[in-house]
């Protein structure tokens, strides 16, 4: 699925179309700094029914949210220097015990993710907004 958006409000439409397509428990988010990965995650979690305060996991590495469908874990692996650091905080335990894991900056953990089914979403900044590709 491909989308082009120009306003913040259009994220809601993107999320509404993506949610029925989520068949796997992992969603990888790729894009440059400021592309909108966390903004997308906020819209997604709201649409999934989370009443929690939603913030970026940049410093905590993982945030946990409750939804009517189950736990959602939101990861930001940007600051990790090695895959061992992901093992140290127990990423596998998180991935195996939730409704959905959203992973920003998944590149350091990509080889390990080959054992899992996942979706991938890329967000690209353009002159007029964002281009989004969801697989």
């Amino acid at each position: 699925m491909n989308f082009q958006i120009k306003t913040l409000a259009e994220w809601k439409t993107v999320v509404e179309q993506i949610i029925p397509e989520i068949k796997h428990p992992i969603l990888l988010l790729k894009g440059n700094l400021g592309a909108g990965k966390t903004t997308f995650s906020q819209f997604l979690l709201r649409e999934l029914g989370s009443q929690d305060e939603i913030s970026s996991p940049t410093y905590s590495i993982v945030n946990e949210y409750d939804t009517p469908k189950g736990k959602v874990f939101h990861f930001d692996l940007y600051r990790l220097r090695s895959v061992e650091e992901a093992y140290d905080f127990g990423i596998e335990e998180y991935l195996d015990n939730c409704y959905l894991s959203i992973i920003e900056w998944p590149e350091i953990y990509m080889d390990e993710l080959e054992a899992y089914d996942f979706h991938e979403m890329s967000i690209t900044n353009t002159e007029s907004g964002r281009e989004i590709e969801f697989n």
Side-chain angles (χ1 to χ4, degrees):
M1 300 175 73
N2 295 302
F3 306 91
Q4 292 186 358
I5 63 171
K6 295 180 181 177
T7 67
L8 187 63
E10 290 177 288
W11 278 115
K12 183 171 174 34
T13 303
V14 171
V15 165
E16 289 171 346
Q17 292 182 43
I18 285 176
I19 285 176
E21 303 302 317
I22 295 176
K23 309 294 185 222
H24 307 302
I26 298 173
L27 173 58
L28 309 180
L29 298 183
K30 296 183 176 182
N32 293 332
L33 284 170
K37 297 177 296 293
T38 297
T39 300
F40 165 79
S41 298
Q42 290 169 332
F43 275 88
L44 177 65
L45 285 157
R46 286 286 171 245
E47 196 65 28
L48 289 173
S50 179
Q51 300 298 312
D52 298 329
E53 183 177 330
I54 301 164
S55 62
S56 173
T58 299
Y59 297 104
S60 61
I61 299 181
V62 61
N63 290 342
E64 178 180 328
Y65 301 103
D66 291 312
T67 74
K69 294 185 178 231
K71 295 263 184 234
V72 174
F73 296 113
H74 183 193
F75 299 88
D76 184 330
L77 304 184
Y78 181 76
R79 296 180 348 162
L80 298 188
R81 291 174 294 215
S82 69
V83 71
E84 287 75 24
E85 290 182 73
Y87 290 126
D88 288 347
F89 76 77
I91 192 169
E92 295 161 311
E93 188 74 22
Y94 286 106
L95 297 178
D96 291 335
N97 292 295
C98 65
Y99 164 69
L100 181 64
S101 288
I102 304 166
I103 305 176
E104 296 185 30
W105 303 100
E107 290 79 5
I108 199 159
Y109 198 67
M110 285 304 294
D111 289 344
E112 286 70 18
L113 286 168
E114 289 180 12
Y116 295 89
D117 292 324
F118 59 83
H119 295 283
E120 190 170 321
M121 187 169 132
S122 297
I123 306 169
T124 305
N125 292 328
T126 65
E127 288 183 20
S128 60
R130 308 277 192 280
E131 289 182 3
I132 300 141
E133 182 179 342
F134 174 83
N135 296 310

